[in-house]
Amino acid sequence: MKSDPVDSTICQWIKGFRAPGSGPFLRYFLVIVSLLLLYSMVLWSYSSGDRRANQHFPRPRMQHHNRTQSPSKPTPVASMVPPGLSVEEWERMLKATHWGGPKRQVTSANKSTSPGHSTFIIQNLKQSYSVGEELHVTIFAKDFTGQLKRYGGDFFQAKVYSDKLKASVFGEVLDHQNGKYSARFILPWAGQASVAVRLIHSSEAVKALKQHRSTDSDRFTFYGYFIGKNSSGAEVQETVECNIKWAGVVLSTMAQKNCCCEYQDAPTGLTWQCRQPRGLPCDALIYHSRGVRINRLTRLEKVLMDSQHVDIWLKGDQRLITIRYSNATVGARNKCSPGVPTPTPAGFYLNDVWTSFVCATRHFTVNDATKCLKDKHIYIMGDSTSRQWFDHLYRVLPTLKLLNSHAVYQVGPHLAVDVLNNIDLHWRSHGLPLSLVRRAVVALLRRAPETKVIIKTANTGEKDVFTGDWFSLQFDRILHEAFRDVGVYILDVWQMTACHYNPDVLHPAPVIIKNEIDILLSFMCPE
């Protein structure tokens, strides 16, 4: 994957926007922050009831994913607060990402949480439920000897689902810090359903992930490509190691005098560094590409992260849940607007169609989508999952044509245009840490408040030490806190991918992308 040595274009892209004029165009800017931006986590790593008929559908509680019961409040150091954030905002982020777990170092994998021994039961299962009622499940975490764990910190995911109905809803998991966990569900459709719980990572594995997040800031490397003429006048190319200049990121020859070329980016305040090439000057750097991943897990930690310990469904209560139709209002009715928080659950699937609990979303036909996008500029900046949105739109809408920009597919920029309906759709890869994107968005909305900014969160996918779901979940929480009260729309896709029957992959299946696009268009065209 190739890009500029220091990618400040994105910040300039945002800052360059101007408020729409008096013409027919409306301007929508979509900031897509998702999984691949986890590299920017270097910047964050130094922290270290019966429902009767005619009642409204119960409002989901404003709690998020795996929550720890009564977390201790971290105390930030003022000097640790990233640029553009207040101490209060930084405190909220530290609190949101607090995760309990074992206090002592793990010495045996047998003492870690066993997906084969852990189980769950449905609490007080009734003969039938009405749509809109809640269901409660208790999860028991046990080690490989069958003993109940005495501490928390495990990463469980839970859902209620029906394969026949292609229906599912995400469950909120509460960690009681004693080996027991509570999962709460809303039952949003009529029919039969089952409960499923899986162990993503044991608390011992999470402890290792936390440690390596703090100590291995250089677990991703990059290559810099220098092209120029040597002393004999012949054109040569040299490839060297590069990375961001940051605490914990040390190039292999940094101890040597004049080891490195440095490239400072004034708009972001960041410095990119590369090893000094042997026969070319620093200004001969042409582009860079992703290098290798460095795995520093110990032998025990590698066991905790292997296929016998990670992402495994538990054997638990298999009793069916019968849900009967009621007059409860299913789905949100309030108009989509900026700043609306994301509840748990955020919605549910039925017949592969997502109904939102966040706001009143619509399901768009091709004609509906074209009418929604008519006379609009849409700018998408993000990772490869946001590129799926760009690809979906220009492939589905027949009048939206992709222009050949002769750019690298993975990086962009890319442009699709509908001349008939005055639509231009842009995509390009991100390249900035979250705090700097946030600062640029705040400036944009101050300058052009008519702009709609939509933030896409991370989705589930990998389960490894590099870009795994635990990192993604932490970043998802940071993302929500970073853009709270900024005046943006948050399109949370985490639950949409976590509870679907398709397997977790980095790039979600087309049926999920279609539902994400429907929410996106609902934000643009709420009526």
Side-chain angles (χ1 to χ4, degrees), residues 25 56 59 79 95 101 104 130 134 136 170 173 182 184 252 288 291 298 301 326 336 351 369 412 414 420 433 461 509:
F25 286 91
H56 285 293
R59 181 67 176 170
S79 61
K95 187 175 181 179
R104 299 178 181 178
S130 297
E134 290 189 1
H136 296 269
F170 188 83
V173 177
S182 297
R184 180 188 69 90
S252 58
H288 75 264
T298 66
E301 290 170 344
S326 75
C336 295
N351 296 320
H414 300 306
L420 179 65

Side-chain angles (χ1 to χ4, degrees), residues 220-521:
F220 290 95
T221 68
F222 296 85
Y223 295 132
Y225 298 85
F226 291 74
I227 300 177
K229 293 184 178 180
N230 61 15
S231 57
S232 302
E235 185 171 288
V236 296
Q237 174 176 317
E238 290 190 48
T239 304
V240 301
E241 179 187 358
C242 297
N243 218 319
I244 190 172
K245 187 175 183 180
W246 194 259
V249 179
V250 180
L251 299 182
S252 58
T253 59
M254 208 164 188
Q256 302 175 10
K257 186 178 180 180
N258 299 325
C259 74
C260 304
C261 298
E262 293 189 354
Y263 308 88
Q264 295 185 349
D265 183 57
T268 65
L270 298 177
T271 299
W272 186 257
Q273 58 182 354
C274 293
R275 290 173 53 186
Q276 173 74 55
R278 292 188 301 271
L280 293 172
C282 289
D283 60 7
L285 177 61
I286 303 301
Y287 59 88
H288 75 264
S289 67
R290 188 169 59 189
V292 298
R293 296 177 173 185
I294 302 174
N295 188 337
R296 294 193 178 93
L297 294 179
T298 66
R299 182 178 298 179
L300 173 59
E301 290 170 344
K302 289 180 180 178
V303 172
L304 297 175
M305 294 292 295
D306 68 20
S307 60
Q308 303 301 313
H309 294 76
V310 172
D311 193 20
I312 299 177
W313 297 99
L314 305 189
K315 297 176 182 178
D317 199 331
Q318 300 299 308
R319 292 178 291 176
L320 290 176
I321 305 152
T322 300
I323 311 163
R324 302 190 183 282
Y325 175 80
S326 75
N327 292 328
T329 301
V330 179
R333 289 185 172 180
N334 52 303
K335 180 180 176 180
C336 295
S337 60
V340 177
T342 303
T344 301
F348 68 97
Y349 287 104
L350 179 61
N351 296 320
D352 264 343
V353 175
W354 180 263
T355 297
S356 175
F357 292 149
V358 177
C359 62
T361 56
R362 301 161 53 195
H363 303 292
F364 288 75
T365 65
V366 169
N367 288 337
D368 291 337
T370 302
K371 290 179 182 177
C372 175
L373 297 178
K374 183 178 174 62
D375 295 330
K376 293 182 176 67
H377 307 296
I378 305 98
Y379 296 86
I380 304 177
M381 179 184 71
D383 62 10
S384 55
T385 64
S386 71
R387 193 177 63 237
Q388 287 184 276
W389 287 9
F390 179 89
D391 291 345
H392 174 91
L393 287 170
Y394 86 76
R395 289 170 179 168
V396 169
L397 304 183
T399 55
L400 192 60
K401 303 300 182 182
L402 178 66
L403 301 186
N404 186 356
S405 58
H406 303 282
V408 177
Y409 173 71
Q410 292 89 340
V411 178
H414 300 306
L415 172 63
V417 174
D418 180 345
V419 176
L420 179 65
N421 293 291
N422 293 327
I423 302 169
D424 55 277
L425 174 67
H426 306 253
W427 180 88
R428 67 153 296 151
S429 172
H430 63 68
L432 289 177
L434 174 59
S435 60
L436 299 176
V437 172
R438 179 186 186 272
R439 188 163 44 180
V441 168
V442 170
L444 169 65
L445 291 175
R446 187 181 297 118
R447 183 173 61 249
E450 303 89 346
T451 306
K452 286 190 177 182
V453 179
I454 302 171
I455 309 294
K456 173 185 175 294
T457 70
N459 55 258
T460 55
E462 309 285 344
K463 306 291 187 291
D464 57 35
V465 69
F466 300 106
T467 56
D469 277 359
W470 185 80
F471 292 126
S472 298
L473 177 55
Q474 293 288 92
F475 193 73
D476 186 77
R477 294 178 178 181
I478 291 172
L479 193 65
H480 279 272
E481 291 299 330
F483 288 96
R484 183 202 289 194
D485 303 325
V486 172
V488 303
Y489 296 78
I490 300 289
L491 204 169
D492 194 313
V493 301
W494 179 270
Q495 298 181 41
M496 297 178 71
T497 54
C499 74
H500 199 266
Y501 59 80
N502 268 290
D504 284 341
V505 290
L506 180 59
H507 299 104
V511 63
I512 299 176
I513 297 299
K514 171 60 170 69
N515 282 285
E516 293 176 0
I517 292 292
D518 280 345
I519 301 176
L520 172 68
L521 297 177

Side-chain angles (χ1 to χ4, degrees), residues 40 80 150 166 175 294 429 461 491 507:
S40 299
M80 296 167 58
R150 300 301 179 187
K166 293 186 177 180
D175 184 351
I294 302 174
S429 172
L491 204 169
H507 299 104

